[in-house]
Amino acid sequence: MHRGSLFRHADFRRLFAGDTASQFGVFVGNTAVPLLAAVTLAATPFQMGLLTAAETLAFLLIGLPAGVWVDRLRRRRVMLTADFIRFALLLSVPVSWWAGVLTLVQLLVVVLFVGIATVFFDIAYQSYLPSLVGRAHLMEGNTKLQAVQSTAQIAGPSAAGVLVQLVNAASTVLVTSLGFLTSALCLLRIRTREPAPERDGRARLLPQITEGLRFVFSDKPLRAIVGTTATANFFGGAFAAVQVLFLTRTVGLPPAAVGVLLAVGGAGGILGALCSAAVTRRLGQARAIWLVPLFTWPGHLLIPLAAPDWRLGLAGFGLVAGGFGIIVYNVAQVSYRQAICPDRLLGRMNASVRFIVWGTLPLGGLLGGALGEGLGLRGAMWVAVAGEVASALWVVCSPLRHMRDLPTEAKSGSGAA
């Protein structure tokens, strides 16, 4: 069993390094791709909604069976395959731009298939961590990985905004593809032997999917967590569909300023990652899951007030507060999910949760595009942030409100009992 800080764990360091490269690339891409569509390809609000929907549509299309397939395979191999596929797909964007043949249709197709690879990577990734570091180190591992994500959330968008202004958005997407390649090379160096997956040649797909869903919905705290995350992501998808257009066309910011403002939210995320363990110890894991969103997520209500003056500061403060709360909530609830689930069900449990909570993102993206056309960009932002704040009611009104801590040992069985 590993003792001490996980940074003394050689294979966790390799996972950490790969995650750093991947997350940096993701957040560069999260800014560069919408800017490419909005500024270079002159996308409409509805087309931006389609682009946002395409990023996460795969969770609705294949999210549930992907969990079964991940449980049948070695998870590191799944992650490697997904990284190499994402590298190749995203590399096609700058190549097409340099050749003068890039279109919005190609961008939508690339984003859709990158999303499919991401489904497999994310399910395998969250299922792989317990076998790599042990259940006793899940909180520490998730905290460190969330810190990486939050740091990338600051550095990625600001770097993307500057690069887009200095070169162009299509060339900036190259950074994202190289991030996935670096992640794959780091994963290749991991030496910890992964346990062979349990195989049952008689097991059919549908009963195995049902077993994963039953586990998720048989646990009352987990049901509330899924409700909150799914609702927040639904309105978060609407927010993502219009935020770049809102900042560039309504507020009038140049690409570099958009990158800086989007990066500000990452500062709150870093603070959340650094404080999550202390906050969870102080409040208790159950309270951290409902109390932190209740008091921090309303900060997002300041974002639609943005204007090219002092009100940008209000929007920045709202991004920091919301970013802090989201990361503390995520560390607490993801660690809980991983801790209570038996190893053989980790892929299906994570797939079931991702199917629901990420499956709402493309629907929200379509809603955001429609709201942007019907209510205007500022009106769409108000609806989106109000929905995000209200999503905390699932956990606030759940049994979590009467608890301090949550069980941290894996349950036996599938949850049917």
Side-chain angles (χ1 to χ4, degrees), residues 1-189:
M1 180 181 295
H2 173 71
R3 298 179 183 274
S5 169
L6 282 179
F7 283 135
R8 298 178 182 174
H9 189 306
D11 282 340
F12 178 79
R13 290 200 305 271
R14 294 176 182 121
L15 179 68
F16 184 87
D19 186 56
T20 299
S22 176
Q23 291 291 347
F24 184 80
V26 164
F27 282 102
V28 168
N30 284 351
T31 302
V33 170
L35 283 172
L36 175 62
V39 178
T40 306
L41 300 178
T44 66
F46 182 70
Q47 288 171 331
M48 293 295 286
L50 287 176
L51 186 65
T52 301
E55 290 175 351
T56 50
L57 184 61
F59 284 95
L60 274 178
L61 297 178
I62 62 165
L64 289 175
V68 176
W69 296 326
V70 167
D71 277 340
R72 294 175 177 177
L73 300 168
R74 292 190 186 273
R75 287 148 187 169
R76 187 175 72 110
R77 187 176 300 168
V78 173
M79 294 158 63
L80 281 166
T81 303
D83 268 342
F84 282 123
I85 288 173
R86 292 187 290 184
F87 161 69
L89 286 168
L90 285 164
L91 184 61
S92 73
V93 173
V95 169
S96 296
W97 170 257
W98 297 330
V101 295
L102 181 66
T103 65
L104 186 63
V105 171
Q106 179 187 342
L107 196 62
L108 285 168
V109 172
V110 167
V111 165
L112 175 63
F113 282 95
V114 165
I116 292 173
T118 298
V119 168
F120 285 96
F121 183 92
D122 284 359
I123 292 170
Y125 180 74
Q126 290 195 339
S127 305
Y128 182 59
L129 188 63
S131 66
L132 184 69
V133 303
R135 294 178 182 273
H137 295 277
L138 284 176
M139 180 66 74
E140 181 188 356
N142 283 315
T143 297
K144 284 178 166 56
L145 295 174
Q146 285 287 350
V148 167
Q149 184 181 50
S150 300
T151 303
Q153 193 174 353
I154 285 183
S158 55
V162 171
L163 285 171
V164 168
Q165 203 144 329
L166 290 177
V167 285
N168 57 62
S171 298
T172 304
V173 175
L174 179 63
V175 176
T176 299
S177 66
L178 293 176
F180 292 130
L181 177 62
T182 304
S183 172
L185 296 177
C186 290
L187 289 173
L188 280 171
R189 297 185 63 239

Side-chain angles (χ1 to χ4, degrees), residues 113-394:
F113 282 95
V114 165
I116 292 173
T118 298
V119 168
F120 285 96
F121 183 92
D122 284 359
I123 292 170
Y125 180 74
Q126 290 195 339
S127 305
Y128 182 59
L129 188 63
S131 66
L132 184 69
V133 303
R135 294 178 182 273
H137 295 277
L138 284 176
M139 180 66 74
E140 181 188 356
N142 283 315
T143 297
K144 284 178 166 56
L145 295 174
Q146 285 287 350
V148 167
Q149 184 181 50
S150 300
T151 303
Q153 193 174 353
I154 285 183
S158 55
V162 171
L163 285 171
V164 168
Q165 203 144 329
L166 290 177
V167 285
N168 57 62
S171 298
T172 304
V173 175
L174 179 63
V175 176
T176 299
S177 66
L178 293 176
F180 292 130
L181 177 62
T182 304
S183 172
L185 296 177
C186 290
L187 289 173
L188 280 171
R189 297 185 63 239
I190 290 177
R191 296 291 176 259
T192 299
R193 185 172 179 80
E194 184 180 353
E198 296 181 18
R199 298 184 183 275
D200 185 351
R202 297 170 299 174
R204 292 181 296 173
L205 187 65
L206 187 57
Q208 289 191 298
I209 290 174
T210 303
E211 189 178 12
L213 287 168
R214 187 185 299 122
F215 181 87
V216 171
F217 286 103
S218 67
D219 185 270
K220 289 182 180 179
L222 189 50
R223 278 207 307 268
I225 288 167
V226 168
T228 285
T229 311
T231 307
N233 282 351
F234 176 72
F235 288 102
F239 179 91
V242 295
Q243 68 170 341
V244 169
L245 290 180
F246 170 71
L247 293 172
T248 56
R249 297 181 186 176
T250 302
V251 182
L253 299 180
V258 171
V260 170
L261 185 62
L262 294 180
V264 165
I270 288 179
L271 184 63
L274 293 174
C275 297
S276 60
V279 169
T280 300
R281 284 195 303 268
R282 181 88 174 179
L283 297 177
Q285 194 173 3
R287 291 176 184 168
I289 289 172
W290 70 267
L291 196 59
V292 171
L294 183 65
F295 283 96
T296 59
W297 292 5
H300 275 186
L301 294 171
L302 297 173
I303 298 172
L305 299 174
D309 52 29
W310 60 271
R311 285 168 288 184
L312 273 180
L314 287 179
F317 177 79
L319 286 166
V320 169
F324 175 89
I326 288 168
I327 295 300
V328 173
Y329 167 81
N330 278 340
V331 170
Q333 62 94 0
V334 169
S335 299
Y336 169 67
R337 278 163 39 193
Q338 292 170 330
I340 65 166
C341 186
D343 285 339
R344 70 181 189 85
L345 276 175
L346 276 168
R348 279 167 283 171
M349 179 276 293
N350 284 318
S352 298
V353 172
R354 286 296 178 107
F355 170 75
I356 300 164
V357 305
W358 284 73
T360 59
L361 276 168
L363 303 178
L366 294 175
L367 173 68
L371 289 174
E373 298 276 4
L375 298 179
L377 297 172
R378 196 180 296 273
M381 290 287 285
W382 276 116
V383 173
V385 296
E388 285 181 322
V389 172
S391 67
L393 292 175
W394 284 94

